[in-house]
Amino acid sequence: MRGGGGGGGHREGSGRPLTRLLPQGENGVGGRAVRVGTRRSQLARIQTDSVVEMLRELHPELHFEIVAMSTTGDKILDTALSKIGEKSLFTKELENALERNEVDLVVHSLKDLPTSLPPGFTIGAVCKRESPLDAVVFHPKNCGKTLGLLPEKSVIGTSSLRRAAQLKKKFPHLEFRDIRGNLNTRLKKLDEKEEFSAIILAAAGLKRMGWENRIGQLLSPEDCLYAVGQGALAVEVRAKDQEILNMVSALHDGETVLCCIAERAFMKRLEGGCSVPVAVSSMLKDGQLYLTGAVYSLDGSDSLKETMQTSVNYPQQNEDGPNDDVQHVGITARNVAGQAQEAAENLGVELASLLLSKGAKHILSVARQLNDAC
C-alpha cells in the first residue's frame, strides 16, 4: 500500500509509524477503504460499529467499509451448538474472506474464536471487556423473581452446556432446555411462548443491544463461572499485514489481554470447546493475575474447580526484536509486556494441568461421549 500525501505517517499505541492506508484523493475516497468483516446479526453489527468508531477516532483520514456475512452457526438453528462438532461455527466464513483478501480485519466475540487459529491469522486487538457475567432474563410473568424462587420443573433456556451443568447442580428443581437463535430470536421465543420461564444469556450482549433493563438476575462467578473470553471483542487480522496490525493494536486493553490469554491457555490445555462444560473467571489486581477454572459433567454432579495466581507486574519493553510478534494463544499484543503475556499463558496451562492431574480428562471425555450420544 502507498503512503498518503500531506503530513507524515501517523503513530498509534505501539509507537510504530502507520502509513496511510488510502492514497490521497477527493475526501480520502480515491483509494481503497479498510474493509471490516462481521456477522449479519444485529448484535454483531453493533459490536463491529463500536470497533470501527474507535478506529475512526484514531484515524479520521481513513474510510471504513463494513462487509456483513452469514456463518455456519447463523444458518444451523435447529441443532444445539455442542452437537454440530465444528470448532469455527461463527468464524470460518469470516476467516475465509480474510484469507481471500476480501476483508482486512474481522470483528468477533472473543468467546467464538477457537484457541488455535488457522495459520496466517492472529488476534490483533482484544478490546476492553464488557461484563463477562451471565444474566437471567425472565418471562414477563416471572418478573421480579430469581432462579431460586421459580416453581418446581420451571424450564430454563440455554444453548450452553457450561451454564446448564453449573445451574443444574445449584438449582436441581429447574429443568434446562436448549434454545437457539440470535438474541432477538431467543427473547421473542421467551416472551411470546409459554415454553420457558427464563433464559440465560451473556450480560455483555444484552448491554450492547441496550436491553440491560431485561436483566432480572446477574449470575456471579460463585453462581456460574463464565465462558473463556466472554464479554471481550477481538479483531482478527492477517498476521503478515503489518499496516492493519499496527492500526488495530492500539485497541488492545492490557488487563483484558492478560485475563483472556490466561483463560484461552487454560481452555487450550484442556482441549475444551463448546461440546464440553469448561468455565473460568479471572481478575487482575495489584499486579497479580487470578484465574479460576473448572470442568463439569453434563449434569453438574461431578466437577473440579481450582484457583491459581501469578505476578504479571513486568515493565513494557519498547525495543523491537525478533520476538516482537510472538503470539500467545492466537493473540499478538505488542503494547503489553511480553513477560506478562508469557506469565498469563503459563498460569492458564498450569491451572489446566492441575485439573488434569486430578481427573479432569475423565470428566471431560465422559461429558463429550454423553453429549455425542444424546
Side-chain angles (χ1 to χ4, degrees), residues 269-313:
R269 177 74 180 89
L270 288 175
E271 297 178 351
C274 65
S275 62
V276 288
V278 173
V280 296
S281 99
S282 61
M283 178 180 66
L284 182 59
K285 187 177 181 182
D286 299 330
Q288 291 287 311
L289 180 59
Y290 300 84
L291 179 66
T292 298
V295 299
Y296 301 89
S297 59
L298 291 189
D299 64 359
S301 61
D302 200 3
S303 65
L304 285 167
K305 177 179 170 183
E306 294 287 350
T307 301
M308 292 178 74
Q309 69 188 80
T310 191
S311 171
V312 288
N313 198 12

mmCIF file of all heavy atoms in Angstrom, residues 269-313:
data_model
loop_
_atom_site.group_PDB
_atom_site.id
_atom_site.type_symbol
_atom_site.label_atom_id
_atom_site.label_comp_id
_atom_site.label_asym_id
_atom_site.label_seq_id
_atom_site.Cartn_x
_atom_site.Cartn_y
_atom_site.Cartn_z
ATOM 1 N N ARG A 269 -5.173 -26.061 26.844
ATOM 2 C CA ARG A 269 -4.517 -27.197 27.506
ATOM 3 C C ARG A 269 -5.523 -28.313 27.803
ATOM 4 O O ARG A 269 -5.197 -29.490 27.738
ATOM 5 C CB ARG A 269 -3.848 -26.703 28.792
ATOM 6 C CG ARG A 269 -3.190 -27.794 29.623
ATOM 7 C CD ARG A 269 -1.899 -28.273 29.000
ATOM 8 N NE ARG A 269 -1.268 -29.321 29.798
ATOM 9 C CZ ARG A 269 -1.505 -30.633 29.669
ATOM 10 N NH1 ARG A 269 -2.356 -31.062 28.750
ATOM 11 N NH2 ARG A 269 -0.891 -31.499 30.457
ATOM 12 N N LEU A 270 -6.766 -27.931 28.099
ATOM 13 C CA LEU A 270 -7.804 -28.920 28.392
ATOM 14 C C LEU A 270 -8.417 -29.500 27.119
ATOM 15 O O LEU A 270 -9.182 -30.462 27.182
ATOM 16 C CB LEU A 270 -8.928 -28.288 29.222
ATOM 17 C CG LEU A 270 -8.639 -27.964 30.675
ATOM 18 C CD1 LEU A 270 -9.824 -27.241 31.287
ATOM 19 C CD2 LEU A 270 -8.328 -29.224 31.468
ATOM 20 N N GLU A 271 -8.098 -28.867 25.978
ATOM 21 C CA GLU A 271 -8.719 -29.242 24.701
ATOM 22 C C GLU A 271 -10.236 -29.132 24.805
ATOM 23 O O GLU A 271 -10.986 -29.982 24.332
ATOM 24 C CB GLU A 271 -8.308 -30.658 24.281
ATOM 25 C CG GLU A 271 -6.817 -30.787 24.038
ATOM 26 C CD GLU A 271 -6.390 -32.198 23.675
ATOM 27 O OE1 GLU A 271 -7.216 -33.124 23.765
ATOM 28 O OE2 GLU A 271 -5.214 -32.365 23.307
ATOM 29 N N GLY A 272 -10.666 -28.069 25.474
ATOM 30 C CA GLY A 272 -12.109 -27.841 25.643
ATOM 31 C C GLY A 272 -12.698 -27.125 24.452
ATOM 32 O O GLY A 272 -12.009 -26.695 23.539
ATOM 33 N N GLY A 273 -14.003 -26.989 24.456
ATOM 34 C CA GLY A 273 -14.735 -26.283 23.404
ATOM 35 C C GLY A 273 -16.189 -26.230 23.815
ATOM 36 O O GLY A 273 -16.519 -26.490 24.968
ATOM 37 N N CYS A 274 -17.084 -25.909 22.869
ATOM 38 C CA CYS A 274 -18.490 -25.787 23.262
ATOM 39 C C CYS A 274 -19.150 -27.149 23.454
ATOM 40 O O CYS A 274 -20.287 -27.241 23.884
ATOM 41 C CB CYS A 274 -19.261 -24.940 22.249
ATOM 42 S SG CYS A 274 -19.392 -25.664 20.621
ATOM 43 N N SER A 275 -18.420 -28.255 23.142
ATOM 44 C CA SER A 275 -19.009 -29.585 23.314
ATOM 45 C C SER A 275 -18.723 -30.166 24.699
ATOM 46 O O SER A 275 -19.111 -31.288 24.994
ATOM 47 C CB SER A 275 -18.495 -30.545 22.236
ATOM 48 O OG SER A 275 -17.100 -30.706 22.339
ATOM 49 N N VAL A 276 -18.035 -29.413 25.569
ATOM 50 C CA VAL A 276 -17.789 -29.851 26.947
ATOM 51 C C VAL A 276 -17.925 -28.652 27.891
ATOM 52 O O VAL A 276 -17.634 -27.524 27.505
ATOM 53 C CB VAL A 276 -16.383 -30.479 27.125
ATOM 54 C CG1 VAL A 276 -16.314 -31.839 26.459
ATOM 55 C CG2 VAL A 276 -15.294 -29.569 26.607
ATOM 56 N N PRO A 277 -18.375 -28.907 29.134
ATOM 57 C CA PRO A 277 -18.538 -27.796 30.084
ATOM 58 C C PRO A 277 -17.226 -27.380 30.745
ATOM 59 O O PRO A 277 -16.765 -28.009 31.681
ATOM 60 C CB PRO A 277 -19.526 -28.358 31.119
ATOM 61 C CG PRO A 277 -20.086 -29.611 30.525
ATOM 62 C CD PRO A 277 -18.993 -30.139 29.639
ATOM 63 N N VAL A 278 -16.619 -26.320 30.224
ATOM 64 C CA VAL A 278 -15.405 -25.719 30.794
ATOM 65 C C VAL A 278 -15.738 -24.271 31.127
ATOM 66 O O VAL A 278 -16.364 -23.575 30.325
ATOM 67 C CB VAL A 278 -14.234 -25.778 29.787
ATOM 68 C CG1 VAL A 278 -13.033 -25.005 30.308
ATOM 69 C CG2 VAL A 278 -13.845 -27.219 29.496
ATOM 70 N N ALA A 279 -15.322 -23.803 32.307
ATOM 71 C CA ALA A 279 -15.692 -22.454 32.725
ATOM 72 C C ALA A 279 -14.552 -21.792 33.477
ATOM 73 O O ALA A 279 -13.676 -22.474 34.031
ATOM 74 C CB ALA A 279 -16.946 -22.519 33.614
ATOM 75 N N VAL A 280 -14.563 -20.455 33.490
ATOM 76 C CA VAL A 280 -13.470 -19.697 34.109
ATOM 77 C C VAL A 280 -14.001 -18.440 34.793
ATOM 78 O O VAL A 280 -15.141 -18.024 34.576
ATOM 79 C CB VAL A 280 -12.426 -19.237 33.057
ATOM 80 C CG1 VAL A 280 -11.727 -20.406 32.408
ATOM 81 C CG2 VAL A 280 -13.071 -18.329 32.007
ATOM 82 N N SER A 281 -13.132 -17.849 35.600
ATOM 83 C CA SER A 281 -13.261 -16.441 35.956
ATOM 84 C C SER A 281 -11.850 -15.933 36.225
ATOM 85 O O SER A 281 -10.982 -16.701 36.656
ATOM 86 C CB SER A 281 -14.203 -16.248 37.146
ATOM 87 O OG SER A 281 -13.530 -16.103 38.329
ATOM 88 N N SER A 282 -11.597 -14.673 35.906
ATOM 89 C CA SER A 282 -10.244 -14.129 36.062
ATOM 90 C C SER A 282 -10.313 -12.700 36.574
ATOM 91 O O SER A 282 -11.326 -12.014 36.409
ATOM 92 C CB SER A 282 -9.492 -14.177 34.720
ATOM 93 O OG SER A 282 -10.164 -13.389 33.754
ATOM 94 N N MET A 283 -9.223 -12.275 37.188
ATOM 95 C CA MET A 283 -9.171 -10.926 37.752
ATOM 96 C C MET A 283 -7.720 -10.488 37.862
ATOM 97 O O MET A 283 -6.844 -11.283 38.217
ATOM 98 C CB MET A 283 -9.828 -10.927 39.127
ATOM 99 C CG MET A 283 -9.805 -9.580 39.839
ATOM 100 S SD MET A 283 -10.611 -9.641 41.472
ATOM 101 C CE MET A 283 -9.501 -10.722 42.366
ATOM 102 N N LEU A 284 -7.480 -9.227 37.536
ATOM 103 C CA LEU A 284 -6.144 -8.632 37.698
ATOM 104 C C LEU A 284 -6.222 -7.596 38.810
ATOM 105 O O LEU A 284 -7.036 -6.662 38.745
ATOM 106 C CB LEU A 284 -5.702 -7.982 36.386
ATOM 107 C CG LEU A 284 -4.303 -7.358 36.354
ATOM 108 C CD1 LEU A 284 -3.231 -8.387 36.658
ATOM 109 C CD2 LEU A 284 -4.046 -6.727 34.996
ATOM 110 N N LYS A 285 -5.414 -7.786 39.849
ATOM 111 C CA LYS A 285 -5.458 -6.862 40.977
ATOM 112 C C LYS A 285 -4.062 -6.709 41.566
ATOM 113 O O LYS A 285 -3.404 -7.706 41.898
ATOM 114 C CB LYS A 285 -6.433 -7.380 42.046
ATOM 115 C CG LYS A 285 -6.665 -6.403 43.192
ATOM 116 C CD LYS A 285 -7.687 -6.951 44.171
ATOM 117 C CE LYS A 285 -7.926 -5.963 45.306
ATOM 118 N NZ LYS A 285 -8.882 -6.493 46.298
ATOM 119 N N ASP A 286 -3.608 -5.476 41.677
ATOM 120 C CA ASP A 286 -2.300 -5.168 42.287
ATOM 121 C C ASP A 286 -1.168 -5.981 41.669
ATOM 122 O O ASP A 286 -0.307 -6.526 42.380
ATOM 123 C CB ASP A 286 -2.346 -5.425 43.801
ATOM 124 C CG ASP A 286 -3.373 -4.554 44.511
ATOM 125 O OD1 ASP A 286 -3.619 -3.432 44.038
ATOM 126 O OD2 ASP A 286 -3.946 -5.017 45.514
ATOM 127 N N GLY A 287 -1.178 -6.096 40.339
ATOM 128 C CA GLY A 287 -0.105 -6.784 39.640
ATOM 129 C C GLY A 287 -0.187 -8.297 39.696
ATOM 130 O O GLY A 287 0.691 -8.994 39.179
ATOM 131 N N GLN A 288 -1.235 -8.827 40.336
ATOM 132 C CA GLN A 288 -1.444 -10.276 40.421
ATOM 133 C C GLN A 288 -2.625 -10.670 39.522
ATOM 134 O O GLN A 288 -3.684 -10.043 39.575
ATOM 135 C CB GLN A 288 -1.755 -10.705 41.859
ATOM 136 C CG GLN A 288 -0.580 -10.575 42.821
ATOM 137 C CD GLN A 288 0.486 -11.628 42.586
ATOM 138 O OE1 GLN A 288 0.203 -12.815 42.480
ATOM 139 N NE2 GLN A 288 1.742 -11.194 42.523
ATOM 140 N N LEU A 289 -2.418 -11.701 38.724
ATOM 141 C CA LEU A 289 -3.480 -12.229 37.865
ATOM 142 C C LEU A 289 -4.031 -13.493 38.524
ATOM 143 O O LEU A 289 -3.287 -14.434 38.808
ATOM 144 C CB LEU A 289 -2.932 -12.544 36.474
ATOM 145 C CG LEU A 289 -3.920 -13.104 35.444
ATOM 146 C CD1 LEU A 289 -5.084 -12.153 35.199
ATOM 147 C CD2 LEU A 289 -3.193 -13.404 34.124
ATOM 148 N N TYR A 290 -5.325 -13.491 38.798
ATOM 149 C CA TYR A 290 -6.001 -14.628 39.426
ATOM 150 C C TYR A 290 -6.857 -15.329 38.381
ATOM 151 O O TYR A 290 -7.611 -14.676 37.650
ATOM 152 C CB TYR A 290 -6.911 -14.157 40.573
ATOM 153 C CG TYR A 290 -6.185 -13.433 41.687
ATOM 154 C CD1 TYR A 290 -5.915 -12.059 41.584
ATOM 155 C CD2 TYR A 290 -5.772 -14.111 42.832
ATOM 156 C CE1 TYR A 290 -5.253 -11.380 42.601
ATOM 157 C CE2 TYR A 290 -5.107 -13.437 43.857
ATOM 158 C CZ TYR A 290 -4.851 -12.079 43.736
ATOM 159 O OH TYR A 290 -4.186 -11.424 44.737
ATOM 160 N N LEU A 291 -6.757 -16.647 38.328
ATOM 161 C CA LEU A 291 -7.560 -17.426 37.384
ATOM 162 C C LEU A 291 -8.219 -18.590 38.116
ATOM 163 O O LEU A 291 -7.546 -19.378 38.785
ATOM 164 C CB LEU A 291 -6.685 -17.963 36.247
ATOM 165 C CG LEU A 291 -7.393 -18.830 35.196
ATOM 166 C CD1 LEU A 291 -8.414 -18.016 34.401
ATOM 167 C CD2 LEU A 291 -6.374 -19.459 34.243
ATOM 168 N N THR A 292 -9.533 -18.657 38.012
ATOM 169 C CA THR A 292 -10.291 -19.809 38.496
ATOM 170 C C THR A 292 -10.773 -20.575 37.285
ATOM 171 O O THR A 292 -11.290 -19.974 36.331
ATOM 172 C CB THR A 292 -11.503 -19.370 39.346
ATOM 173 O OG1 THR A 292 -11.026 -18.662 40.494
ATOM 174 C CG2 THR A 292 -12.321 -20.576 39.811
ATOM 175 N N GLY A 293 -10.591 -21.873 37.287
ATOM 176 C CA GLY A 293 -11.035 -22.697 36.171
ATOM 177 C C GLY A 293 -11.739 -23.932 36.688
ATOM 178 O O GLY A 293 -11.429 -24.432 37.774
ATOM 179 N N ALA A 294 -12.714 -24.427 35.907
ATOM 180 C CA ALA A 294 -13.475 -25.594 36.336
ATOM 181 C C ALA A 294 -13.911 -26.424 35.143
ATOM 182 O O ALA A 294 -14.068 -25.905 34.030
ATOM 183 C CB ALA A 294 -14.699 -25.166 37.152
ATOM 184 N N VAL A 295 -14.111 -27.712 35.391
ATOM 185 C CA VAL A 295 -14.714 -28.615 34.406
ATOM 186 C C VAL A 295 -15.869 -29.325 35.098
ATOM 187 O O VAL A 295 -15.846 -29.543 36.314
ATOM 188 C CB VAL A 295 -13.703 -29.653 33.848
ATOM 189 C CG1 VAL A 295 -12.558 -28.958 33.136
ATOM 190 C CG2 VAL A 295 -13.175 -30.553 34.952
ATOM 191 N N TYR A 296 -16.890 -29.682 34.312
ATOM 192 C CA TYR A 296 -18.109 -30.267 34.871
ATOM 193 C C TYR A 296 -18.572 -31.454 34.043
ATOM 194 O O TYR A 296 -18.372 -31.489 32.821
ATOM 195 C CB TYR A 296 -19.250 -29.224 34.887
ATOM 196 C CG TYR A 296 -18.932 -27.987 35.673
ATOM 197 C CD1 TYR A 296 -18.306 -26.900 35.062
ATOM 198 C CD2 TYR A 296 -19.238 -27.897 37.025
ATOM 199 C CE1 TYR A 296 -17.994 -25.750 35.788
ATOM 200 C CE2 TYR A 296 -18.926 -26.757 37.763
ATOM 201 C CZ TYR A 296 -18.312 -25.692 37.135
ATOM 202 O OH TYR A 296 -17.996 -24.564 37.861
ATOM 203 N N SER A 297 -19.241 -32.384 34.721
ATOM 204 C CA SER A 297 -20.005 -33.392 33.993
ATOM 205 C C SER A 297 -21.252 -32.692 33.446
ATOM 206 O O SER A 297 -21.581 -31.573 33.869
ATOM 207 C CB SER A 297 -20.406 -34.538 34.928
ATOM 208 O OG SER A 297 -21.192 -34.052 36.009
ATOM 209 N N LEU A 298 -21.962 -33.325 32.492
ATOM 210 C CA LEU A 298 -23.097 -32.661 31.859
ATOM 211 C C LEU A 298 -24.189 -32.281 32.859
ATOM 212 O O LEU A 298 -24.845 -31.245 32.712
ATOM 213 C CB LEU A 298 -23.698 -33.538 30.756
ATOM 214 C CG LEU A 298 -22.847 -33.737 29.492
ATOM 215 C CD1 LEU A 298 -23.643 -34.443 28.414
ATOM 216 C CD2 LEU A 298 -22.311 -32.416 28.951
ATOM 217 N N ASP A 299 -24.372 -33.115 33.889
ATOM 218 C CA ASP A 299 -25.426 -32.807 34.867
ATOM 219 C C ASP A 299 -24.903 -32.027 36.072
ATOM 220 O O ASP A 299 -25.648 -31.719 36.999
ATOM 221 C CB ASP A 299 -26.123 -34.087 35.338
ATOM 222 C CG ASP A 299 -25.188 -35.026 36.100
ATOM 223 O OD1 ASP A 299 -23.990 -34.686 36.254
ATOM 224 O OD2 ASP A 299 -25.656 -36.102 36.530
ATOM 225 N N GLY A 300 -23.600 -31.685 36.040
ATOM 226 C CA GLY A 300 -23.016 -30.882 37.110
ATOM 227 C C GLY A 300 -22.691 -31.643 38.376
ATOM 228 O O GLY A 300 -22.159 -31.072 39.330
ATOM 229 N N SER A 301 -22.997 -32.966 38.410
ATOM 230 C CA SER A 301 -22.792 -33.735 39.637
ATOM 231 C C SER A 301 -21.306 -33.982 39.919
ATOM 232 O O SER A 301 -20.897 -34.141 41.067
ATOM 233 C CB SER A 301 -23.529 -35.075 39.551
ATOM 234 O OG SER A 301 -23.023 -35.844 38.463
ATOM 235 N N ASP A 302 -20.516 -34.022 38.880
ATOM 236 C CA ASP A 302 -19.082 -34.241 39.020
ATOM 237 C C ASP A 302 -18.349 -32.992 38.526
ATOM 238 O O ASP A 302 -18.651 -32.493 37.428
ATOM 239 C CB ASP A 302 -18.662 -35.467 38.196
ATOM 240 C CG ASP A 302 -17.330 -36.049 38.670
ATOM 241 O OD1 ASP A 302 -16.784 -35.534 39.662
ATOM 242 O OD2 ASP A 302 -16.856 -37.018 38.045
ATOM 243 N N SER A 303 -17.429 -32.481 39.313
ATOM 244 C CA SER A 303 -16.736 -31.258 38.883
ATOM 245 C C SER A 303 -15.389 -31.134 39.572
ATOM 246 O O SER A 303 -15.148 -31.745 40.618
ATOM 247 C CB SER A 303 -17.588 -30.015 39.191
ATOM 248 O OG SER A 303 -17.748 -29.854 40.588
ATOM 249 N N LEU A 304 -14.539 -30.337 38.960
ATOM 250 C CA LEU A 304 -13.245 -29.977 39.537
ATOM 251 C C LEU A 304 -13.078 -28.474 39.353
ATOM 252 O O LEU A 304 -13.322 -27.945 38.267
ATOM 253 C CB LEU A 304 -12.105 -30.701 38.825
ATOM 254 C CG LEU A 304 -11.918 -32.182 39.141
ATOM 255 C CD1 LEU A 304 -10.960 -32.809 38.125
ATOM 256 C CD2 LEU A 304 -11.381 -32.371 40.561
ATOM 257 N N LYS A 305 -12.642 -27.800 40.420
ATOM 258 C CA LYS A 305 -12.501 -26.341 40.355
ATOM 259 C C LYS A 305 -11.305 -25.931 41.194
ATOM 260 O O LYS A 305 -11.159 -26.374 42.336
ATOM 261 C CB LYS A 305 -13.790 -25.695 40.880
ATOM 262 C CG LYS A 305 -13.777 -24.174 40.938
ATOM 263 C CD LYS A 305 -15.121 -23.691 41.448
ATOM 264 C CE LYS A 305 -15.133 -22.212 41.767
ATOM 265 N NZ LYS A 305 -16.418 -21.772 42.335
ATOM 266 N N GLU A 306 -10.431 -25.109 40.622
ATOM 267 C CA GLU A 306 -9.241 -24.646 41.336
ATOM 268 C C GLU A 306 -8.961 -23.192 40.967
ATOM 269 O O GLU A 306 -9.401 -22.714 39.911
ATOM 270 C CB GLU A 306 -8.013 -25.501 40.981
ATOM 271 C CG GLU A 306 -8.078 -26.946 41.436
ATOM 272 C CD GLU A 306 -7.893 -27.130 42.934
ATOM 273 O OE1 GLU A 306 -7.524 -26.146 43.619
ATOM 274 O OE2 GLU A 306 -8.133 -28.257 43.422
ATOM 275 N N THR A 307 -8.198 -22.517 41.816
ATOM 276 C CA THR A 307 -7.768 -21.133 41.553
ATOM 277 C C THR A 307 -6.257 -21.043 41.720
ATOM 278 O O THR A 307 -5.701 -21.629 42.648
ATOM 279 C CB THR A 307 -8.452 -20.148 42.518
ATOM 280 O OG1 THR A 307 -9.869 -20.241 42.367
ATOM 281 C CG2 THR A 307 -8.010 -18.710 42.240
ATOM 282 N N MET A 308 -5.613 -20.326 40.807
ATOM 283 C CA MET A 308 -4.176 -20.066 40.912
ATOM 284 C C MET A 308 -3.927 -18.591 40.606
ATOM 285 O O MET A 308 -4.794 -17.909 40.038
ATOM 286 C CB MET A 308 -3.387 -20.951 39.931
ATOM 287 C CG MET A 308 -3.412 -22.429 40.286
ATOM 288 S SD MET A 308 -2.513 -23.459 39.084
ATOM 289 C CE MET A 308 -0.826 -23.062 39.513
ATOM 290 N N GLN A 309 -2.751 -18.108 40.961
ATOM 291 C CA GLN A 309 -2.399 -16.718 40.675
ATOM 292 C C GLN A 309 -0.940 -16.618 40.278
ATOM 293 O O GLN A 309 -0.135 -17.519 40.553
ATOM 294 C CB GLN A 309 -2.682 -15.822 41.880
ATOM 295 C CG GLN A 309 -1.751 -16.074 43.054
ATOM 296 C CD GLN A 309 -2.165 -15.307 44.294
ATOM 297 O OE1 GLN A 309 -3.061 -15.718 45.010
ATOM 298 N NE2 GLN A 309 -1.479 -14.180 44.541
ATOM 299 N N THR A 310 -0.610 -15.519 39.615
ATOM 300 C CA THR A 310 0.787 -15.266 39.240
ATOM 301 C C THR A 310 0.995 -13.762 39.138
ATOM 302 O O THR A 310 0.047 -12.996 38.924
ATOM 303 C CB THR A 310 1.123 -15.938 37.888
ATOM 304 O OG1 THR A 310 2.537 -15.896 37.679
ATOM 305 C CG2 THR A 310 0.459 -15.232 36.704
ATOM 306 N N SER A 311 2.243 -13.341 39.284
ATOM 307 C CA SER A 311 2.558 -11.918 39.104
ATOM 308 C C SER A 311 2.672 -11.598 37.612
ATOM 309 O O SER A 311 3.276 -12.356 36.851
ATOM 310 C CB SER A 311 3.875 -11.576 39.794
ATOM 311 O OG SER A 311 4.272 -10.253 39.446
ATOM 312 N N VAL A 312 2.054 -10.506 37.209
ATOM 313 C CA VAL A 312 2.211 -10.033 35.821
ATOM 314 C C VAL A 312 2.739 -8.600 35.832
ATOM 315 O O VAL A 312 2.519 -7.826 34.910
ATOM 316 C CB VAL A 312 0.873 -10.115 35.039
ATOM 317 C CG1 VAL A 312 0.517 -11.562 34.743
ATOM 318 C CG2 VAL A 312 -0.266 -9.424 35.790
ATOM 319 N N ASN A 313 3.437 -8.286 36.913
ATOM 320 C CA ASN A 313 3.927 -6.921 37.104
ATOM 321 C C ASN A 313 5.284 -6.750 36.432
ATOM 322 O O ASN A 313 6.320 -6.697 37.095
ATOM 323 C CB ASN A 313 4.015 -6.633 38.606
ATOM 324 C CG ASN A 313 4.089 -5.153 38.900
ATOM 325 O OD1 ASN A 313 3.849 -4.342 38.017
ATOM 326 N ND2 ASN A 313 4.444 -4.809 40.119
#
